[in-house]
Amino acid sequence: MIAEILEKVDRDKELTPAEMKSLLEISNPSELQALYDCAYRVKAKYVGKVAYFRGIIECSNICVKDCYYCGIRKSNTNVQRFQMDEEEIVREAIWAFENEYGSAVIQSGERKDAAYINMIERVLKRVKKETHEKLGITLSLGEQTEETYRRWREAGAHRYLLRIETTNPELYKKLHPEDHDFETRKQCLALLKKTGYQVGTGVMMGLPGQTMDDLVNDILFMKELDIDMVGMGPYIPHRDTPMGAAIPPYTEEQKQAVLTLGLKMIAVTRIVLKDVNIAAATALQALEHAGREMGLKCGANVIMPNVTETEFRPNYVLYDNKPCLDENSSMCRGCLTRRIQDIGETIGFNQWGDSKHYAKRVRNP
Ligand code: SAH
């Protein structure tokens, strides 16, 4: 049965939702390996065996949102809040550029005040200028207005990541306070497209109450929205959050189960969406040391090495066991480079590594 589905993939036939679900439900180790290998063939065919690096700058943990799962939610008083100054963000972006990363991601908690919006705009302009327009910039700064998205786009950002978190509206409600609106988040994805970004979205896997049908629907949502990039990862409890406090920390067995679920989602998403960019989330590495490389072997083609100064890292902890908190950016570069070469892939140094899907989407709208 599984072999037949995978054969269909190799013949470039579209899968039905039921077939996607069967793949997500695999538990037998040899079938699992067959799934990963099949997704890897799709990846090699559509986007190549190249891993692109995006240096991620976690520039602030100040957040107006209060998501029940997230370690930097507004109500968590155990976090020491920080905001990097403009110089610091620019310096880290230039570090990424000089270390041949090709692209950087600027991520933070959500803020919509004018001072913050203006600051990001200035940073974008400076980074573009100081890297002679050569560094690609992705933003991951949450829900904003059309005008803000447009200003940041004009200032030089060209990709934006906004995870929908889950596409089941009922589950979304359980993960967020009342005023966090699923429809608004969806609307933001449409605005990002309208304002000309390469758009990325994704979900968390292994959320309490989430079903396999939800995950199939998540993949179908991304397909229907015709998104360019995927950033998704396993949910990991954070002890200072309402959701994390309600569940005991993962046992080794649970860790392996969520890791496998995360890898299966990457594989099936690659099989269904084919030519998009898919990031191997850092959360995979919180579950298993080689988690991100495993993600590449199952179909992901983007890795986001941390380029945040070590002193800020302990305060940007979205989930427990976040890796690399005591390392610096050079250590992360060396370590990841070695590990990726070990699995036989090349690294797309000095390239933007844009989504091939995007190129096709704008050529044939
Ligand atoms: N404020 C921005 C960036 C958020 S942090 C935004 O809203 O888009 C990036 C991602 O971390 C979130 O989208 C969420 O999916 C993920 N995340 C937060 N808490 C997590 C947890 N406990 N386990 C796994 N991922 C988590």
Side-chain angles (χ1 to χ4, degrees):
M1 168 73 179
I2 295 296
E4 274 166 39
I5 300 174
L6 297 179
E7 210 175 284
K8 217 173 142 183
V9 174
D10 284 326
R11 281 185 286 119
D12 251 338
K13 294 273 181 293
E14 278 203 21
L15 299 188
T16 63
E19 289 167 331
M20 294 176 201
K21 188 173 168 188
S22 300
L23 295 181
L24 289 174
E25 281 171 343
I26 294 178
S27 60
N28 167 310
S30 66
E31 286 183 339
L32 209 48
Q33 193 58 49
L35 167 67
Y36 297 161
D37 292 346
C38 177
Y40 198 72
R41 286 195 294 279
V42 175
K43 161 179 159 174
K45 177 169 168 191
Y46 285 89
V47 298
K49 295 185 196 179
V50 186
Y52 295 101
F53 278 5
R54 324 278 189 230
I56 182 160
I57 303 167
E58 298 157 339
C59 72
S60 171
N61 63 2
I62 299 172
C63 192
V64 299
K65 290 288 189 73
D66 222 4
C67 311
Y68 297 145
Y69 45 84
C70 182
I72 61 167
R73 63 197 299 270
K74 181 174 69 180
S75 301
N76 183 4
T77 50
N78 290 340
V79 181
Q80 195 188 330
R81 302 287 164 174
F82 74 92
Q83 166 68 62
M84 278 180 199
D85 64 22
E86 224 170 298
E87 294 304 319
E88 180 65 31
I89 308 175
V90 172
R91 188 163 55 239
E92 291 180 11
I94 291 175
W95 189 94
F97 176 64
E98 288 176 344
N99 281 275
E100 309 177 291
Y101 282 6
S103 295
V105 180
I106 302 177
Q107 186 179 81
S108 73
E110 197 168 293
R111 272 180 67 181
K112 304 170 205 271
D113 52 289
Y116 194 67
I117 293 167
N118 295 339
M119 191 274 290
I120 293 292
E121 186 178 41
R122 285 193 304 272
V123 163
L124 290 169
K125 287 185 177 156
R126 278 188 56 191
V127 172
K128 280 308 218 192
K129 186 152 171 265
E130 294 190 30
T131 63
H132 318 289
E133 308 270 321
K134 285 195 185 120
L135 184 74
I137 306 177
T138 306
L139 297 179
S140 174
L141 303 171
E143 295 167 26
Q144 303 289 343
T145 62
E146 179 173 347
E147 193 209 339
T148 301
Y149 286 148
R150 183 164 286 122
R151 277 175 57 193
W152 288 345
R153 177 78 186 89
E154 282 166 7
H158 80 290
R159 299 187 285 234
Y160 204 107
L161 283 174
L162 184 75
R163 286 189 181 174
I164 191 76
E165 314 296 0
T166 172
T167 60
N168 175 339
E170 289 310 309
L171 184 56
Y172 191 93
K173 267 194 207 145
K174 291 193 187 127
L175 307 178
H176 301 97
E178 191 117 34
D179 61 347
H180 294 28
D181 183 31
F182 176 73
E183 288 303 323
T184 307
R185 205 155 176 93
K186 228 164 89 176
Q187 187 57 31
C188 282
L189 289 170
L191 290 177
L192 286 165
K193 226 171 186 186
K194 182 177 171 196
T195 45
Y197 287 88
Q198 290 177 40
V199 182
T201 192
V203 296
M204 285 178 287
M205 296 80 99
L207 292 161
Q210 189 179 43
T211 65
M212 284 299 179
D213 286 312
D214 288 333
L215 293 174
V216 171
N217 288 332
D218 292 340
I219 297 176
L220 294 172
F221 172 90
M222 295 192 274
K223 186 173 158 72
E224 204 166 302
L225 220 66
D226 205 15
I227 54 108
D228 308 303
M229 321 182 290
V230 179
M232 59 186 177
Y235 163 66
I236 303 174
H238 185 298
R239 71 184 89 87
D240 297 328
T241 60
M243 261 171 71
I247 0 184
Y250 285 159
T251 61
E252 278 312 310
E253 216 171 17
Q254 280 172 314
K255 275 192 196 172
Q256 286 306 315
V258 207
L259 174 69
T260 304
L261 184 63
L263 296 174
K264 286 193 285 189
M265 265 301 270
I266 290 179
V268 180
T269 303
R270 170 61 69 201
I271 285 172
V272 176
L273 301 187
K274 300 194 173 17
D275 58 357
V276 297
N277 279 348
I278 303 180
T282 312
L284 294 170
Q285 196 180 332
L287 298 167
E288 163 84 50
H289 182 65
R292 288 197 278 186
E293 294 77 4
M294 292 165 91
L296 295 178
K297 294 291 276 179
C298 306
N301 67 327
V302 168
I303 281 211
M304 305 199 281
N306 204 331
V307 299
T308 307
E309 268 301 326
T310 316
E311 64 166 298
F312 296 111
R313 295 188 185 193
N315 294 321
Y316 198 88
V317 177
L318 310 179
Y319 42 81
D320 290 337
N321 277 325
K322 188 165 180 231
C324 315
L325 295 183
D326 54 353
E327 296 183 2
N328 66 33
S329 306
S330 301
M331 288 158 83
C332 287
R333 183 186 195 275
C335 165
L336 272 172
T337 302
R338 220 174 323 105
R339 281 164 22 196
I340 289 166
Q341 284 163 350
D342 280 351
I343 62 165
E345 296 219 337
T346 51
I347 297 164
F349 282 123
N350 294 313
Q351 298 170 49
W352 283 13
D354 275 341
S355 160
K356 297 213 188 323
H357 185 82
Y358 176 78
K360 213 156 81 194
R361 173 160 80 78
V362 290
R363 258 201 322 268
N364 314 306

